Amino acid sequence: MKRIKLIAFDLDGTLLKNNKELTPRTLKALGQASEAGICLVPTTGRLYDGVPEEIRALPFIRYVIAANGAQIYDAREERTLYRAEMNMDEVRQFFAYTREVPAITGCYRGGQGFMARSDMEKMAAYTSEQALFLMMRRVYKPVENLEDFLFETGEPVQKLMLFFADLGERKRILRDMKVSLSGLAVTSSVANNIEVNAREANKGAALRYLWEYLGIERDETAAFGDGSNDITMLLEAGTGYAMENACPEAKEAADRLAPSNEQEGVAFEIERLLS
């Protein structure tokens, strides 16, 4: 194996524990990797501003792949390097399909989260994890009608999300959406959600763009993930690590299996790479 020069890592269910904690051991491992000259890249379904401040504030975190690959943000120069967003026709397809779906809907556009006020009022019933609920309350700004709001502005959309109270219904709709909205990227990052991006917006494509931009070779990269939105990244990286708690599809896509996020699996594997 060539020396690793870039490590991309998902946050929720991967780098962070279930309570969204960045542990001292993991923080130490990231610092040691940076000292060894490795570029460390949070690669998340969240917006850049939704990345925990303790991670964004780390001096060695320069590039962030956000919104499932819809954006690569250079934090040092405060500019977007890459974007892949949904146009209005694709947004229209989403709303035509989801109009009767029993879920609340969120949207990322222009680095800001939006959700209908009526959906925000029901948010607690659709988010069983307190940490997720608090993050959503912080990220989303209420609007009266989300669909109308998006079409009035006509600006490209980074990501659309559904959150379900009924996990069985979510599983059925996720399976059907992948067929019905085949021109879009339909994935998931947590147990109760579905995420929809432009087809070109995926973590793998963004990771490939970044390593080429930095002059790094594919086999000098590694990636860690746990959800279906991480699959393209695990396949694209030189070495893909699925967490022990990952979904079956992510495990199948990975080259190696890491300990779970609760067992600080990213730190464990970085320590092995540096030993």
Side-chain angles (χ1 to χ4, degrees):
M1 179 189 295
K2 280 195 175 184
R3 184 175 74 86
I4 296 299
K5 296 183 180 179
L6 184 154
I7 296 176
F9 46 84
D10 175 53
L11 298 180
D12 302 297
T14 299
L15 187 79
L16 304 177
K17 296 188 75 173
N18 291 340
N19 64 359
K20 310 304 180 186
E21 177 192 5
L22 176 67
T23 69
R25 178 187 179 186
T26 300
L27 178 58
K28 181 180 179 181
L30 294 176
Q32 290 173 334
S34 175
E35 289 172 4
I38 298 173
C39 179
L40 298 161
V41 185
T43 305
T44 178
R46 302 187 190 204
L47 292 167
Y48 173 74
D49 287 346
V51 174
E53 173 60 27
E54 62 181 330
I55 295 176
R56 286 188 285 131
L58 294 172
F60 48 79
I61 298 296
R62 176 172 181 175
Y63 303 103
V64 175
I65 296 174
N68 284 343
Q71 178 188 37
I72 302 175
Y73 187 70
D74 181 340
R76 186 175 300 169
E77 296 190 1
E78 298 184 344
R79 67 187 182 98
T80 295
L81 293 180
Y82 170 94
R83 65 177 71 242
E85 299 170 328
M86 301 169 68
N87 60 42
M88 286 298 101
D89 285 341
E90 291 168 330
V91 173
R92 188 172 289 107
Q93 290 177 45
F94 171 88
F95 280 106
Y97 178 91
T98 61
R99 214 171 302 283
E100 302 301 323
V101 169
I104 60 174
T105 304
C107 171
Y108 291 166
R109 192 207 66 188
Q112 172 68 57
F114 298 96
M115 182 178 284
R117 192 180 306 278
S118 58
D119 280 357
M120 289 197 71
E121 291 170 354
K122 297 182 289 186
M123 190 182 288
Y126 289 80
T127 50
S128 58
E129 296 181 12
Q130 180 68 5
L132 177 62
F133 172 76
L134 293 175
M135 184 189 76
M136 290 172 66
R137 292 291 299 182
R138 180 171 61 85
V139 166
Y140 289 110
K141 177 181 178 180
V143 296
E144 289 308 314
N145 182 293
L146 181 61
E147 185 176 0
D148 290 348
F149 171 77
L150 294 177
F151 284 113
E152 284 170 7
T153 59
E155 296 178 19
V157 168
Q158 292 170 300
K159 185 170 74 165
L160 288 157
M161 290 144 289
L162 299 170
F163 296 91
F164 292 80
D166 184 334
L167 297 187
E169 189 71 358
R170 173 259 187 194
K171 183 178 180 180
R172 181 189 68 80
I173 291 173
L174 175 60
R175 185 171 57 246
D176 186 71
M177 284 184 76
K178 288 181 177 180
V179 176
S180 299
L181 300 181
S182 58
L184 298 171
V186 180
T187 60
S188 177
S189 63
V190 294
N192 73 323
N193 88 341
I194 295 175
E195 305 187 349
V196 180
N197 291 83
R199 173 59 64 185
E200 299 78 14
N202 63 76
K203 293 184 179 184
L207 177 60
R208 183 173 62 251
Y209 179 94
L210 185 59
W211 87 53
E212 290 176 349
Y213 175 82
L214 296 174
I216 295 172
E217 297 181 16
R218 178 177 183 268
D219 56 3
E220 296 173 325
T221 67
F224 293 84
D226 73 295
S228 65
N229 63 334
D230 297 315
I231 290 173
T232 57
M233 175 175 70
L234 297 177
L235 290 170
E236 199 67 53
T239 306
Y241 293 85
M243 313 307 290
E244 178 59 43
N245 53 288
C247 67
E249 297 85 357
K251 289 180 177 179
E252 184 177 348
D255 301 295
R256 300 184 182 181
L257 194 63
S260 73
N261 65 318
E262 287 292 288
Q263 297 172 306
E264 302 169 295
V266 173
F268 175 83
E269 297 295 344
I270 288 177
E271 290 162 358
R272 286 182 59 182
L273 285 171
L274 296 177
S275 63

